[in-house]
């Protein structure tokens, strides 16, 4: 028998029968195998040294997982080891299998996964809970990888390129409702919930309607006497028999069959109604000409997706109108690192550049001094933000896509010369367009921009010989000048230079490749594997984290330095 050591504050003559100290409760359940188990040793000998599973072990070993461990309450049954579950998540994404249902099949079928988990077989609910649990820690893990890249000198983060893409949301494109449909469904659900609450207070439980129907059919069959043999009976058709045998539908097909499901449905419909009101308010904030339908059928109809109200509604790469998730990234031009990322509900890229810069400041602690972006980011507010934070933005103000030349094209704003001294625009025919009163106009994100409308004298445009190429308005041609018009003109001159064109060409060679890799990790053209914007952020965040880990691994490989990682780290 081994004697227990005495506590420091115990007297030396303490009796030998003193109680043993309670052992600390383990934080997680141990896996079935350890590094000395024969099954794990056999799998370790079968997995090559350059296998993807060993890379996953090295990535998890570099991350600080203490906050993830602290997120467990420490009560109840022991949880599965978080670092082992994180290995499974990362390995699933790298194999283009981002769904917990796919991870569950890998647990039983994949030998590398069994090696990663030391024989652990988590339940389906554990995998879904792990996917949601890691959400608050993804940004911190990004910071750790990017800080390591900066400290080891693999990048400086001074030059970046911005681009985005639309990913298909999991919600169906066939369940888009307007305010009338949403309110009608809410009314039906509230009536059904009131019936459920009234049924709770009854002393006797009411019979199921389908049970009553079955009893009625049985009574009719048993009590109906057989017809006489001499009488010819006309048998009903198969369609009539099926119509008689099918029970009546008491509720719509979309309504849940349980009281708890109906409660959840009405909460989701109320969220959809709030989203509909927000979209309607945004539409009303636009000018009347922008609110009209392209085909001249009045204003555009505002609809939302019932199962994913926060999803953006637009056309994907195949021109199919459906719920989408707008994914944006800021990629380092001089290295393969992604400095910032985000998932948005916007249907365009306008107004998203400042948000990406703010996230870059939070993830890296710095801002790039040079950024390239396509024409969809070229707004006056984006240029003003870049000037305020000493960022040089290279972006064309118009699309660079090749368009056929039109001999009778209408005059654009660039055809009018602005005279700074007189504060007037001069049209191609030499007529002056004089300024009106300044006014505030709304922009994306609730921002305001001061603009001034320039217009020619009354009757000048009506008698102009070039009226057909200039305007069809009875008021004549109107040119609007923003308070940031000087920034737009400076950007146009910057992009017209040879140096600006060479810098802009780097965007296609860098950020577009990262967007393609990101979409491949998320399943390519397949929809995302979960509902809701928060879980879409999780998927994009994990995929971006792995791309940064791969970039750090390649940079260390080129430099001849790879940190030692223990494959069996517990």
């Amino acid at each position: 028998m081994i004697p227990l050591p005495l506590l420091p504050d115990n007297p030396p003559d303490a009796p030998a029968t003193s109680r043993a100290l309670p052992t600390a409760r383990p934080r997680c359940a141990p896996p079935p195998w350890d590094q000395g188990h024969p099954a794990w040793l056999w799998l370790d000998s079968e997995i090559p040294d350059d296998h993807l599973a060993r890379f996953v072990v090295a990535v998890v070993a570099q991350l600080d997982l203490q906050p993830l461990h602290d997120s467990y309450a420490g009560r109840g049954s022991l949880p599965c080891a978080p670092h082992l579950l994180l290995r499974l998540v990362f390995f699933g994404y790298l194999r283009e299998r981002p769904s917990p249902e796919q991870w569950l099949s890998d647990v039983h079928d994949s030998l590398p996964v069994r090696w990663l988990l030391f024989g652990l077989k988590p339940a389906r609910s554990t995998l879904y809970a792990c996917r949601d649990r890691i959400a608050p820690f993804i940004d911190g893990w990004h910071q750790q990888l990017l800080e390591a890249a900066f400290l080891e000198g693999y990048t400086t983060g001074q030059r970046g390129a911005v681009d985005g893409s639309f990913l298909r949301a999991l919600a169906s494109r066939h369940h888009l409702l307007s305010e009338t449909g949403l309110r009608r469904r809410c009314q039906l659900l509230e009536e059904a919930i009131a019936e459920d609450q009234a049924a709770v207070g009854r002393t006797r439980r009411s019979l199921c309607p389908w049970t009553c129907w079955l009893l009625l059919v049985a009574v009719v069959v048993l009590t109906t006497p057989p017809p006489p043999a001499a009488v010819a009976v006309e048998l009903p058709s198969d369609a009539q028999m099926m119509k008689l045998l099918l029970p009546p539908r008491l509720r719509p097909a979309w309504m849940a069959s349980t009281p708890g499901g109906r409660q959840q449905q009405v909460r989701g419909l109320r969220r959809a109604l709030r989203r509909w009101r927000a979209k309607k308010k945004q539409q009303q904030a636009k000018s009347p000409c922008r609110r009209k339908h392209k085909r001249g059928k009045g204003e555009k109809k505002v609809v939302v997706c019932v199962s994913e109200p926060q999803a953006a509604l637009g056309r994907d790469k195949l021109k199919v109108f459906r719920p989408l998730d707008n994914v944006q990234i800021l990629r380092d031009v001089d290295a393969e690192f992604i400095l910032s990322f985000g998932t948005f509900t916007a249907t365009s890229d306008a107004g998203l550049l400042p948000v990406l810069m703010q996230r870059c400041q939070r993830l890296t602690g710095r801002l790039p001094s040079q950024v390239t972006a396509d024409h969809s980011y070229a707004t006056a507010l984006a240029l003003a933000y870049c000037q305020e934070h000493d960022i040089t933005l290279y972006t064309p103000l118009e699309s660079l896509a090749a368009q056929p030349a039109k001999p009778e094209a209408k005059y654009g704003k660039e055809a009018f010369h602005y005279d700074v001294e007189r504060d007037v625009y001069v049209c191609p025919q030499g007529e002056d367009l004089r300024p009106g009163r300044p006014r505030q106009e709304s922009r994306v994100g609730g921002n305001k921009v001061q603009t001034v409308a320039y217009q020619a004298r009354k009757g000048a445009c009506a008698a102009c010989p070039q009226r057909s190429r200039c305007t069809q308005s009875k008021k004549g041609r109107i040119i609007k000048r923003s308070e940031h018009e000087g920034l737009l003109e400076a950007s146009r001159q910057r992009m017209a230079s040879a140096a600006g064109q060479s810098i802009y060409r780097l965007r296609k060679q860098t950020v577009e490749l990262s967007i393609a890799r990101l979409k491949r990790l998320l399943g390519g053209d397949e929809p995302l594997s979960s509902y809701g914007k928060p879980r879409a952020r999780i998927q994009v965040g994990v995929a971006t984290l792995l791309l940064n880990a791969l970039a750090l691994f390649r940079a260390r490989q080129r430099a001849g330095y790879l940190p030692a990682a223990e494959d069996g780290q517990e």
Side-chain angles (χ1 to χ4, degrees):
M1 179 177 180
I2 301 176
L4 295 175
L6 299 176
L7 293 175
D9 54 351
N10 283 356
D13 55 349
T17 59
S18 58
R19 288 186 177 181
L21 292 177
T23 58
R25 184 177 187 268
R27 304 191 62 178
C28 55
W33 303 340
D34 57 12
Q35 296 185 44
H37 196 279
W40 188 87
L41 291 175
W42 178 80
L43 290 174
D44 184 65
S45 63
E46 293 292 325
I47 296 177
D49 293 338
D50 57 349
H51 196 273
L52 199 60
R54 299 189 184 274
F55 168 73
V56 169
V57 173
V59 172
V60 175
Q62 295 180 59
L63 301 177
D64 181 14
L65 303 182
Q66 188 61 38
L68 179 60
H69 282 276
D70 295 339
S71 65
Y72 289 86
R75 299 186 298 269
S77 59
L78 293 177
C80 297
H83 70 281
L84 296 182
L85 296 178
L86 195 60
R87 291 180 181 183
L88 175 61
V89 173
F90 288 174
F91 188 73
Y93 272 86
L94 289 174
R95 293 186 61 213
E96 304 174 19
R97 295 170 64 84
S99 171
E101 193 68 29
Q102 296 171 331
W103 306 339
L104 183 64
S105 64
D106 291 341
V107 167
H108 300 278
D109 301 337
S110 176
L111 294 181
V113 169
R114 299 187 68 184
W115 176 82
L116 285 171
L117 300 183
F118 285 88
L120 183 68
K121 294 183 179 180
R124 177 185 283 104
S125 58
T126 303
L127 299 180
Y128 278 95
C130 176
R131 177 200 59 186
D132 298 337
R133 183 179 290 272
I134 64 176
F137 313 107
I138 294 176
D139 285 354
W141 296 335
H142 272 280
Q143 293 173 357
Q144 296 171 27
L145 292 181
L146 292 174
E147 183 180 0
F150 290 137
L151 292 178
E152 297 174 21
Y154 301 130
T155 181
T156 59
Q158 293 301 308
R159 298 200 302 170
V162 177
D163 196 12
S165 181
F166 287 107
L167 300 178
R168 292 170 56 186
L170 187 58
S172 172
R173 62 187 179 93
H174 302 288
H175 297 164
L176 307 179
L177 297 180
S178 62
E179 183 187 23
T180 305
L182 292 173
R183 292 191 180 278
R184 177 58 180 166
R185 288 198 176 190
C186 281
Q187 180 183 358
L188 293 176
L189 281 171
E190 289 170 356
E191 293 174 357
I193 291 173
E195 295 178 2
D196 296 337
Q197 294 174 351
V200 170
R202 297 173 185 170
T203 56
R204 294 183 179 179
R205 184 177 178 182
S206 59
L207 290 177
C208 177
W210 283 268
T211 304
C212 298
W213 170 80
L214 287 173
L215 291 175
L216 180 60
V217 171
V219 168
V220 170
V221 171
L222 295 176
T223 58
T224 303
V231 179
V233 179
E234 183 180 357
L235 297 176
S237 63
D238 294 341
Q240 293 175 345
M241 287 296 296
M242 291 298 298
K243 187 176 181 181
L244 292 173
L245 293 177
L246 286 177
R249 178 174 291 176
L250 302 181
R251 292 193 175 100
W254 54 264
M255 187 177 294
S257 58
T258 61
R262 289 189 281 272
Q263 292 278 359
Q264 186 176 0
Q265 276 186 323
V266 76
R267 288 194 295 268
L269 285 173
R270 287 169 182 167
R271 288 194 298 267
L273 268 173
R274 290 194 294 269
R275 173 63 177 164
W276 184 91
R277 295 191 190 101
K279 292 182 66 175
K280 186 66 176 179
K281 186 177 180 180
Q282 293 176 1
Q283 186 197 50
Q284 292 175 349
K286 297 180 181 179
S287 59
C289 61
R290 296 180 62 190
R291 291 203 304 262
K292 291 182 179 179
H293 200 279
K294 291 182 179 180
R295 298 182 180 180
K297 298 180 180 179
E299 292 190 359
K300 297 179 182 178
K301 185 178 180 180
V302 179
V303 294
V304 295
C305 181
V306 179
S307 53
E308 257 187 281
Q310 294 297 326
L313 299 179
R315 299 191 180 275
D316 59 6
K317 299 295 184 181
L318 301 177
K319 305 303 180 182
V320 178
F321 189 81
R322 62 181 308 114
L324 302 169
D325 287 305
N326 190 350
V327 178
Q328 301 286 327
I329 65 171
L330 171 64
R331 150 97 190 249
D332 194 333
V333 172
D334 301 318
E336 299 178 0
F337 297 99
I338 297 177
L339 306 177
S340 176
F341 65 93
T343 306
F344 305 92
T345 59
T347 55
S348 67
D349 300 332
L352 301 182
L353 183 63
V355 183
L356 284 175
M357 295 297 108
Q358 294 169 7
R359 284 190 55 83
C360 178
Q361 177 73 35
R362 185 164 66 251
L363 292 177
T364 64
R366 65 189 73 186
L367 286 175
S369 59
Q370 183 185 102
V371 175
T372 58
D374 59 17
H375 72 283
S376 58
Y377 299 89
T379 62
L381 292 175
L383 291 169
Y385 177 88
C386 292
Q387 184 188 38
E388 181 182 354
H389 293 83
D390 298 328
I391 301 174
T392 305
L393 180 60
Y394 290 87
T395 174
L397 301 184
E398 296 85 15
S399 175
L400 298 181
Q403 297 180 356
K406 297 181 180 180
E408 295 296 330
K410 292 186 177 296
Y411 291 128
K413 185 178 180 179
E414 64 278 0
F416 293 75
H417 171 68
Y418 179 69
D419 192 336
V420 182
E421 297 180 356
R422 296 191 299 151
D423 189 23
V424 296
Y425 274 97
V426 181
C427 77
Q429 294 296 315
E431 187 69 29
D432 292 343
L433 279 71
R434 302 190 178 278
R437 294 181 179 180
R439 56 177 299 181
Q440 297 286 333
E441 291 189 359
S442 301
R443 292 294 185 268
V444 178
N447 299 306
K448 300 287 185 179
V449 175
Q450 181 175 319
T451 60
V452 179
Y454 290 76
Q455 190 173 4
R457 58 183 176 83
K458 187 176 182 180
C461 292
C464 179
Q466 299 293 330
R467 176 181 173 83
S468 60
R469 294 189 60 187
C470 187
T471 181
Q472 299 293 331
S473 175
K474 297 180 181 179
K475 298 180 180 179
R477 182 63 182 265
I478 297 177
I479 299 293
K480 287 186 178 181
R481 183 176 179 86
S482 168
E483 58 179 325
H484 305 298
E485 196 71 29
L487 299 177
L488 296 172
E489 295 175 357
S491 177
R492 187 177 288 106
Q493 295 175 2
R494 189 161 55 241
M495 287 299 299
S497 63
Q501 290 292 330
S502 62
I503 293 174
Y504 183 75
R505 279 194 292 269
L506 296 176
R507 187 192 70 87
K508 183 187 298 184
Q509 304 168 10
T510 54
V511 68
E512 292 189 1
L513 297 178
S514 295
I515 283 286
R517 293 168 184 161
L518 179 65
K519 295 180 69 174
R520 186 183 63 187
L521 291 182
L522 294 175
D525 293 332
E526 296 296 323
L528 296 177
S529 61
S530 55
Y531 289 97
K533 186 178 177 182
R535 288 172 179 167
R537 288 194 186 119
I538 294 174
Q539 291 187 250
V540 174
V542 173
T544 309
L545 178 70
L546 293 174
L547 289 179
N548 278 339
L550 285 169
L552 184 60
F553 176 80
R554 295 192 188 101
R556 286 173 172 173
Q557 202 172 33
R558 287 191 295 266
Y561 166 70
L562 286 176
E566 299 180 3
D567 294 343
Q569 181 182 356
E570 294 292 321

